[in-house]
């Protein structure tokens, strides 16, 4: 029987409140500061990746946990509206949905998150029938969900046994510990690692060297590493060969979730059978195009739109 889904995404989902740009220092003392814009959007690395993949035409399911509250229902509704199957997104009656406030300043941002259900999310929130009915399983925000992190080796084993491939975007470690020993069993079962440049350095322990060196080192632990490198585009390493992509030119409005849209593009490209170099170009285009509007999902491109922008910028997808 063919797989029901192209992609199962497991991890975090929550509303994002995005405000900015802040042009002066953040003031306390009950002072009110005015900024140019604010937006309520769907957030969470896993949720943004799921929506980006669905926008690119993949059959996507999501598994995780939110609160049985207004924020949780908003999150479920937003995922469903993007065409993501939410049968595996559980409502927790005792804990609130995570909430994130993003304050932008230039091309940087500060992220404040109330964790809510994040710590309670575990492998029990991932139905086995979803693990065994997807072509690929992607996990995000490893460090934010210690319960799920501990269960990932077993979840990835189940996915592999059913013939699926796996990927991981650890995202940032708010604790600053970057426990590579604890992560090792997960990396041993990960087919594609998708960090940004700063995360790649922390995961590899290569601060002070080139991002290429970090990617190459990580590629000895994971078969394929694709690194998001901001305005410099992206790069990919399989332990033998380095590939790079300069990305495409856009006028960015908001970079929140751009890395998650990159993830969606890379996975969609690989699941479509595209060579790694083409998947990397597609991913870089998807990440760049997502920055054209506030929020992680508002401006995510379709497959045809991403390919059109690649063609306009001189690449040659077919």
């Amino acid at each position: 029987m063919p797989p029901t889904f192209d992609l199962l995404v497991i991890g975090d989902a929550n509303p994002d409140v995005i405000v900015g740009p802040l042009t002066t220092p953040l003031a306390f003392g009950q002072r009110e500061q005015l900024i140019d814009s604010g937006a309520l959007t769907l957030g969470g690395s896993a949720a943004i990746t799921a929506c980006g993949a669905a926008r690119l035409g993949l059959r996507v399911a999501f598994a995780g946990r939110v609160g049985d509250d207004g924020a949780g229902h908003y999150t479920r509704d937003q995922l469903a509206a993007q065409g993501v199957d939410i049968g595996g997104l559980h409502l927790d009656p005792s804990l609130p949905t995570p909430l994130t406030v993003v304050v932008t300043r230039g091309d940087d941002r500060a992220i404040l998150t109330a964790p809510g259900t994040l710590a309670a999310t575990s492998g029990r929130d991932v139905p086995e029938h979803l693990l065994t009915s997807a072509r690929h399983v992607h996990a995000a925000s490893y460090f934010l969900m210690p319960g799920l992190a501990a269960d990932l080796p077993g979840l990835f084993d189940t996915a592999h046994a059913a013939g699926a491939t796996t990927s991981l975007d650890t995202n940032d470690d708010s604790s600053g510990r970057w426990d590579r020993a604890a992560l090792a069993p997960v990396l041993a079962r990960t087919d594609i690692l998708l960090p940004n440049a700063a995360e790649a350095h922390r995961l590899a322990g290569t601060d002070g060297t080139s991002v290429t060196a970090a990617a190459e080192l990580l590629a000895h632990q994971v078969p394929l590493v694709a690194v998001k490198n901001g305005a410099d585009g992206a790069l990919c390493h399989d332990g033998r060969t380095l590939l790079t992509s300069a990305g495409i030119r856009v006028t960015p409005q908001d970079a929140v979730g751009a890395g998650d849209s990159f993830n969606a593009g890379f996975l969609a490209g690989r699941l479509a059978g595209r060579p790694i170099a083409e998947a990397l170009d597609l991913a870089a285009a998807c990440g760049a195009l997502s920055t054209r509007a506030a929020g992680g999902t508002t401006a995510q491109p379709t497959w045809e739109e991403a390919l059109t922008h690649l063609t306009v910028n001189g690449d040659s997808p077919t």
Side-chain angles (χ1 to χ4, degrees):
M1 176 180 292
T4 304
F5 298 103
D6 298 305
L7 176 65
L8 167 64
V9 181
I10 57 180
D12 54 332
N14 57 266
D16 275 355
V17 177
I18 304 171
V19 294
L22 189 66
T23 57
T24 58
L26 184 63
F28 287 86
Q30 302 182 52
R31 292 189 56 199
E32 185 169 7
Q33 295 171 272
L34 299 181
I35 43 84
D36 289 342
S37 65
L40 173 65
T41 68
L42 179 64
S45 175
I48 296 171
T49 297
C51 289
R55 180 75 171 158
L56 290 166
L58 272 62
R59 301 165 298 163
V60 183
F62 189 92
R65 181 186 295 220
V66 294
D68 190 3
D69 52 22
H73 290 277
Y74 169 85
T75 300
R76 285 171 58 90
D77 290 347
Q78 290 296 308
L79 281 165
Q82 297 295 327
V84 176
D85 185 285
I86 57 172
L89 181 58
H90 298 161
L91 294 177
D92 189 317
S94 61
L95 290 171
T97 299
L99 291 172
T100 294
V101 176
V102 180
V103 183
T104 66
R105 183 178 62 187
D107 60 358
D108 198 5
R109 59 188 182 269
I111 304 171
L112 306 173
T113 295
T117 57
L118 289 177
T121 305
S122 73
R124 293 187 298 275
D125 293 305
V126 185
E128 184 173 351
H129 74 87
L130 291 180
L131 286 169
T132 59
S133 61
R135 297 170 59 203
H136 185 90
V137 176
H138 174 74
S141 296
Y142 170 89
F143 294 108
L144 285 180
M145 294 174 287
L148 182 61
D151 292 337
L152 274 182
L155 297 177
F156 278 8
D157 281 343
T158 299
H160 279 147
T165 48
T166 60
S167 59
L168 174 68
D169 186 348
T170 67
N171 301 102
D172 187 36
D173 182 359
S174 60
S175 74
R177 290 191 295 268
W178 296 89
D179 188 345
R180 293 192 290 273
L183 182 60
V186 183
L187 294 185
R189 296 163 171 83
T190 298
D191 297 304
I192 304 172
L193 182 64
L194 294 157
N196 65 28
E199 293 157 0
H201 279 304
R202 299 305 300 271
L203 293 170
T206 55
D207 290 341
T209 65
S210 70
V211 67
T212 300
E216 183 175 7
L217 186 61
L218 290 169
H220 292 297
Q221 303 176 62
V222 174
L224 188 60
V225 180
V227 182
K228 298 151 277 195
N229 201 20
D232 292 327
L235 59 95
C236 195
H237 213 297
D238 64 0
R240 300 174 302 278
T241 303
L242 171 68
L243 298 171
T244 62
S245 176
I248 64 171
R249 295 174 296 278
V250 299
T251 301
Q253 300 297 318
D254 175 20
V256 171
D260 307 313
S261 294
F262 174 99
N263 295 346
F266 192 82
L267 297 177
R270 293 300 289 153
L271 287 169
R274 297 298 178 107
I276 294 173
E278 289 187 15
L280 188 66
D281 284 337
L282 179 69
C286 288
L289 291 169
S290 76
T291 69
R292 296 169 298 170
T297 62
T298 308
Q300 288 178 317
T302 63
W303 180 268
E304 293 76 15
E305 184 180 9
L307 293 184
T308 296
H309 277 80
L310 282 175
T311 302
V312 168
N313 280 266
D315 292 303
S316 55
T318 57

